[in-house]
Amino acid sequence: MRWLIQKLVLHPMRQTISEDLGQVEYILTDKTGTLTENKMIFKRCCISGTFYGNENGDCLKDPELLQAVASGSPDAIRFLIVMAICNTVVPVQSKAGAVSYKAQSQDEEALVRAAARLNMVFLEKKGNILDINFNASLVQYEVLDTLEFTSERKRMSVVVRDCQNGNIILLSKGADEAILPHAHAGQQTRIFAEAAEQYAQLGLRTLCLAWRDLEEEEYHEWSLLFKEANSSLVDREWRVAEVCQRIEHGLEIIGVAAIEDRLQDAVPETIETLRKAGINFWMLTGDKQNTAIQIARSCNFVSPEPKGQLLLINGRTEDEVGQSLERVLLTMRITNAEPKDVAFVVDGWALEIVLKHYRKAFTELAILSRTAICCRVTPSQKAQLVELLKSCEYRTLAIGDGGNDVRMIQQADIGVGISGREGLQAARAADYSIGKFRFLKRLILVHGRYSYNRTAFLSQYSFYKSLLICFIQIFFSFISGVSGTSLFNSVSLMAYNVFYTSVPVLVSVLDKDLSERTVMQHPQILFYCQAGRLLNPSTFAGWFGRSLFHAIVVFVITIHAYAFEKSEMEEASMVALSGCIWLQAFVVALETNSFTILQHIAIWGNLVAFYVINWIVSAFPSSGLYTIMFRLCRQPSYWITMFIIVAAGMGPVLALKYFRYTYRSSKINILQQAERMGGPILSLGNIEPQPRSLDKDVSPLSISQPKNRTSVYEPLLSDSPSATRRSFGPGAPFDFFQSQARLSSNYTRNCKDN
């Protein structure tokens, strides 16, 4: 499996949306396993108020912790028991006696391995009996019930019986906000909350461990309710959660464990490059706020202060969240015109209120901000955020590695799954599967951009060649008295679309307007794809005009050259068809940026094949074109006509192209000229349009819902620094900070510990 993860670079699940990769505007990414390696390492801990590992950064080598374990400290022993037992890990013993662990959660595996290094070794699981080796003595526990982890509860627990004394124990672990509020009355939890906060500021993942002794009678009463809830066919998950809540209280908090999850290689560089390409990043994670912020800073999501600024949206009630959102929105409007990197941070609780009561205001905030950090969010909230951005008509890409990211991946325009340690659920549900986050840069900048450019040319060229022959037919109908007579026979029309004009354009999939090295060095040219620079109504109008102009050239020259002579209609038809083939060959050659042997063969070889095929057809009397091509090729007037058609048809096109390249050259043209001349490629400067502008009449408390996005073609043509990328369309203003009803007391907080 690990070999597969390392070898898997890119595997497309679908190939119908590859051009959309070149138009991505927002990337919504998970953190654990996506930005990080998902290799958990137990680093620090706090047991009963004593901190371990703060000096050397590794509590497994802390002499004080080793001494506490060796001396049999009750708190330390209970801490290790929870680490070793409260999980779903399966130990596997080799023939040599070595123990390895199989776990769905990398957090659990890290805790079990750390406990083993501290002499609390989880040896074997025989049915419900767990064998624990502690300091060369065997201890057994019987698992009575397992309270599985859910994104709503954010904790898991196991009920075990100590086989030595028969005591029943509840062992729990989970996020601090899911464990600390359930501590028994009288226990001071401030030290544990401070420990979790301190570890989070270091970018570590935190878990609180708790213990509770149960009475036999209490357990049996609860066990009956738990079994009944598990066998329920209606609202099973809700009933199980309610029953779990009845026993997960009065906990004795033992300590806090801190786990390190390192970043993948080249993640900061990848994000920085994609941000230069004008792509906005949202990080959606289930970690604590401080942990998410530290990871975001290390990933280059946010620039260091003073250039970078974080705005927090927090609160427990509807009014508090509304006031916080108002402050953040007003600050974002003020700083939007300044060259500052501003991001907002929101947790799952506040996000739930925002999406329910302040959706339009949050939509404006999403448009104004290039970066967002959403922590403690559930899988459903991830999908809601993707849907929010899609409602603003942004092209979104979601990337994740676990089953909790599947909804987000499927909701986005483009889904990318990472084949990581959490399985292949995300990879199989995605449109593209990659092995590492850094491969996303090449996927978007190279493959996405090339696919967009090639699709733009292929679709518009097909439009051009079909209109060319249609316009000639229309013109011929006027001089034929609208009799319905076709200038071309059915065989020629079929061969025109199937053979003569399709082969050259098929090799356009090999065309590259810029080398991969140049594209990676200048990611800002992706703005041209995001803006629809090569595929929009204006470019379609250009190809429409070109087809009309070429049809006029071919028809007029052919009629004047052959209509007044004693020529057969088949000869005039073949001359017109030959003119179309010559023009399309030069059009394809003109639009090709990088020639290869295959492209030369396809373009010019196809032209030669046109004459070879028609010579063969002209040899058969029943073909309807008997001796036509033989006679035409012997006439100098035929070749002069072809020369005049090509010169008249391509002359204005070449002149217009020369004018554009010389006097109105784009950044791509500059890079192309530098590549062809072999000179150094200087900095292109900033071709990114300014951030989105809002209607000036919008008051601080009145916010408009964006309806349509304005085109961004003009900023890329003129490179105007004052151009805008987005603007709010007309929308009904509303007072989004009006007083509203308080949240109900049974408002359930939906969060997930990733």
Side-chain angles (χ1 to χ4, degrees):
M1 182 63 185
R2 292 184 178 180
W3 177 87
L4 176 62
I5 294 174
Q6 295 296 328
K7 293 296 182 181
L8 183 57
V9 177
L10 171 63
H11 181 67
M13 302 297 182
R14 299 175 181 84
Q15 299 179 351
T16 58
I17 59 172
S18 57
E19 65 274 6
D20 290 350
L21 285 168
Q23 297 181 288
V24 171
E25 297 169 285
Y26 275 83
I27 293 179
L28 298 95
T29 175
D30 180 37
K31 183 186 77 68
T32 304
T34 304
L35 301 176
T36 61
E37 294 181 349
N38 207 9
K39 295 180 181 179
M40 307 299 181
I41 303 175
F42 183 73
K43 282 294 185 181
R44 305 188 185 197
C45 65
C46 173
I47 303 176
S48 298
T50 304
F51 289 82
Y52 299 102
N54 284 358
E55 295 183 1
N56 56 8
D58 188 357
C59 64
L60 298 178
K61 299 179 181 179
D62 193 321
E64 296 183 6
L65 179 59
L66 297 177
Q67 178 62 30
V69 175
S71 62
S73 170
D75 292 333
I77 300 304
R78 290 195 299 173
F79 187 83
L80 294 180
I81 290 176
V82 177
M83 289 175 58
I85 296 179
C86 187
N87 52 63
T88 57
V89 175
V90 178
V92 179
Q93 283 191 352
S94 64
K95 295 182 179 180
V99 180
S100 60
Y101 300 102
K102 302 295 183 182
Q104 294 181 347
S105 170
Q106 302 301 318
D107 293 303
E108 293 183 344
E109 183 178 352
L111 293 178
V112 173
R113 290 184 180 276
R117 291 187 58 182
L118 294 172
N119 299 327
M120 186 70 69
V121 183
F122 185 11
L123 288 179
E124 191 176 2
K125 184 175 183 180
K126 302 175 182 177
N128 292 331
I129 304 299
L130 309 180
D131 292 342
I132 307 296
N133 184 2
F134 178 65
N135 288 337
S137 62
L138 184 65
V139 182
Q140 290 185 330
Y141 291 90
E142 179 186 0
V143 178
L144 301 179
D145 290 295
T146 300
L147 287 64
E148 297 181 355
F149 169 87
T150 64
S151 58
E152 286 75 21
R153 294 174 57 245
K154 291 188 60 190
R155 59 182 178 271
M156 78 155 294
S157 303
V158 293
V159 181
V160 298
R161 184 191 300 273
D162 191 336
C163 295
Q164 293 180 333
N165 52 34
N167 293 337
I168 300 178
I169 311 167
L170 173 70
L171 309 178
S172 298
K173 77 173 191 304
D176 53 339
E177 63 265 27
I179 297 292
L180 298 182
H182 299 281
H184 67 80
Q187 183 178 17
Q188 296 293 329
T189 60
R190 183 176 58 87
I191 185 66
F192 300 109
E194 292 177 353
E197 191 72 14
Q198 175 183 336
Y199 294 147
Q201 291 179 356
L202 297 175
L204 302 177
R205 297 166 60 86
T206 59
L207 288 172
C208 288
L209 280 61
W211 176 297
R212 183 191 173 199
D213 293 318
L214 300 177
E215 298 293 337
E216 190 81 26
E217 182 179 355
E218 178 188 6
Y219 166 71
H220 282 298
E221 292 179 358
W222 175 86
S223 179
L224 294 175
L225 296 176
F226 187 65
K227 291 179 181 178
E228 181 181 353
N230 273 318
S231 60
S232 175
L233 299 179
V234 180
D235 296 331
R236 178 179 175 273
E237 294 182 358
W238 179 83
R239 292 177 181 271
V240 169
E242 185 182 20
V243 173
C244 292
Q245 188 77 15
R246 295 188 178 188
I247 198 173
E248 291 176 327
H249 64 86
L251 303 176
E252 180 184 355
I253 311 301
I254 303 175
V256 179
I259 302 173
E260 180 187 55
D261 188 11
R262 297 179 179 177
L263 288 178
Q264 296 182 18
D265 295 336
V267 167
E269 294 80 2
T270 300
I271 293 177
E272 182 180 4
T273 301
L274 293 177
R275 280 171 61 85
K276 290 180 180 178
I279 298 177
N280 306 322
F281 274 88
W282 283 31
M283 184 172 72
L284 314 180
T285 178
D287 283 334
K288 284 177 63 64
Q289 185 178 96
N290 285 334
T291 303
I293 290 175
Q294 293 301 320
I295 296 297
R297 291 189 183 278
S298 61
C299 290
N300 287 334
F301 271 97
V302 184
S303 303
E305 295 183 353
K307 184 178 179 180
Q309 182 179 359
L310 288 176
L311 305 176
L312 303 181
I313 302 175
N314 47 33
R316 294 292 178 178
T317 65
E318 187 178 323
D319 291 339
E320 291 177 356
V321 173
Q323 293 174 4
S324 178
L325 179 59
E326 179 184 13
R327 289 193 300 268
V328 170
L329 189 54
L330 294 178
T331 304
M332 190 69 71
R333 285 173 173 175
I334 296 173
T335 59
N336 193 39
E338 300 177 5
K340 295 189 68 175
D341 187 8
V342 182
F344 70 88
V345 183
V346 61
D347 64 6
W349 176 260
L351 183 61
E352 184 97 11
I353 300 175
V354 164
L355 293 178
K356 183 177 181 181
H357 300 284
Y358 305 117
R359 188 178 183 89
K360 294 185 179 180
F362 188 73
T363 301
E364 180 184 0
L365 180 62
I367 293 176
L368 290 174
S369 176
R370 290 197 59 188
T371 307
I373 303 171
C374 304
C375 50
R376 296 302 193 195
V377 294
T378 64
S380 61
Q381 288 176 330
K382 292 182 179 182
Q384 289 178 37
L385 291 174
V386 175
E387 183 182 3
L388 178 73
L389 292 174
K390 289 180 63 178
S391 67
C392 300
E393 299 183 9
Y394 286 110
R395 194 64 54 88
T396 59
L397 181 148
I399 179 171
D401 73 311
N404 58 339
D405 302 317
V406 170
R407 293 183 62 180
M408 172 182 69
I409 289 173
Q410 293 181 335
Q411 183 67 35
D413 294 309
I414 304 170
V416 179
I418 292 183
S419 304
R421 296 174 176 269
E422 293 191 16
L424 298 175
Q425 286 180 309
R428 290 172 177 171
D431 302 304
Y432 298 90
S433 175
I434 59 178
K436 295 292 182 181
F437 183 83
R438 68 175 184 269
F439 300 148
L440 189 64
K441 177 171 66 173
R442 180 177 176 84
L443 177 64
I444 293 176
L445 297 182
V446 177
H447 296 290
R449 185 177 176 278
Y450 284 162
S451 296
Y452 171 79
N453 291 350
R454 293 161 180 168
T455 301
F457 171 69
L458 177 62
S459 59
Q460 294 177 122
Y461 173 79
S462 300
F463 176 74
Y464 156 80
K465 71 180 183 67
S466 299
L467 282 182
L468 175 60
I469 206 75
C470 290
F471 280 135
I472 294 177
Q473 290 277 61
I474 292 173
F475 297 153
F476 180 74
S477 67
F478 288 114
I479 66 172
S480 63
V482 197
S483 60
T485 304
S486 175
L487 178 62
F488 307 102
N489 59 45
S490 58
V491 176
S492 297
L493 288 176
M494 180 190 67
Y496 175 81
N497 282 302
V498 176
F499 300 108
Y500 303 149
T501 58
S502 61
V503 175
V505 78
L506 289 179
V507 295
S508 64
V509 297
L510 305 175
D511 189 35
K512 299 179 180 180
D513 60 338
L514 293 170
S515 65
E516 296 181 8
R517 175 174 171 270
T518 302
V519 171
M520 299 291 277
Q521 286 181 347
H522 303 277
Q524 60 268 37
I525 62 177
L526 189 68
F527 286 122
Y528 289 87
C529 297
Q530 295 170 340
R533 177 65 175 83
L534 299 179
L535 186 61
N536 56 67
S538 299
T539 57
F540 263 103
W543 282 93
F544 180 89
R546 182 184 297 189
S547 63
L548 178 60
F549 171 69
H550 283 173
I552 294 174
V553 169
V554 171
F555 183 76
V556 171
I557 294 178
T558 300
I559 293 301
H560 281 75
Y562 281 84
F564 300 105
E565 296 182 2
K566 294 181 180 180
S567 303
E568 299 179 3
M569 180 178 172
E570 288 77 7
E571 289 186 359
S573 172
M574 185 58 66
V575 171
L577 184 62
S578 302
C580 293
I581 301 302
W582 277 90
L583 282 178
Q584 68 86 22
F586 277 93
V587 166
V588 174
L590 183 65
E591 298 297 331
T592 300
N593 296 285
S594 58
F595 281 96
T596 62
I597 296 178
L598 287 178
Q599 287 168 312
H600 280 294
I601 293 175
I603 296 174
W604 311 118
N606 181 76
L607 189 60
V608 174
F610 166 75
Y611 285 98
V612 172
I613 293 174
N614 281 279
W615 282 338
I616 295 175
V617 173
S618 298
F620 294 94
S622 60
S623 63
L625 299 175
Y626 184 60
T627 70
I628 295 296
M629 186 56 71
F630 296 148
R631 285 181 287 165
L632 287 177
C633 290
R634 289 196 299 265
Q635 298 174 8
S637 60
Y638 170 79
W639 300 108
I640 295 175
T641 302
M642 293 300 104
F643 176 79
I644 295 175
I645 288 176
V646 172
M650 298 304 300
V653 176
L654 288 171
L656 182 61
K657 197 175 186 70
Y658 174 81
F659 175 80
R660 283 184 51 203
Y661 270 69
T662 305
Y663 301 103
R664 297 191 61 184
S665 58
S666 64
K667 303 299 183 182
I668 296 179
N669 300 146
I670 296 174
L671 292 175
Q672 289 174 335
Q673 294 173 11
E675 281 190 346
R676 291 166 183 170
M677 296 177 63
I681 301 176
L682 303 178
S683 175
L684 294 178
N686 183 21
I687 63 174
E688 177 184 6
Q690 290 290 334
R692 315 138 187 98
S693 64
L694 303 176
D695 294 335
K696 301 300 182 181
D697 298 334
V698 177
S699 62
L701 301 184
S702 180
I703 300 164
S704 303
Q705 171 70 14
K707 297 295 183 181
N708 298 311
R709 291 188 297 173
T710 56
S711 300
V712 288
Y713 315 135
E714 187 60 27
L716 297 176
L717 289 174
S718 61
D719 296 329
S720 172
S722 61
T724 59
R725 293 188 63 189
R726 298 286 183 270
S727 67
F728 275 86
F734 73 105
D735 185 7
F736 93 151
F737 291 114
Q738 56 186 328
S739 59
Q740 301 187 27
R742 296 276 182 175
L743 292 177
S744 59
S745 58
N746 60 351
Y747 186 87
T748 304
R749 183 177 183 181
N750 292 326
C751 295
K752 168 189 170 293
D753 191 3
N754 200 0

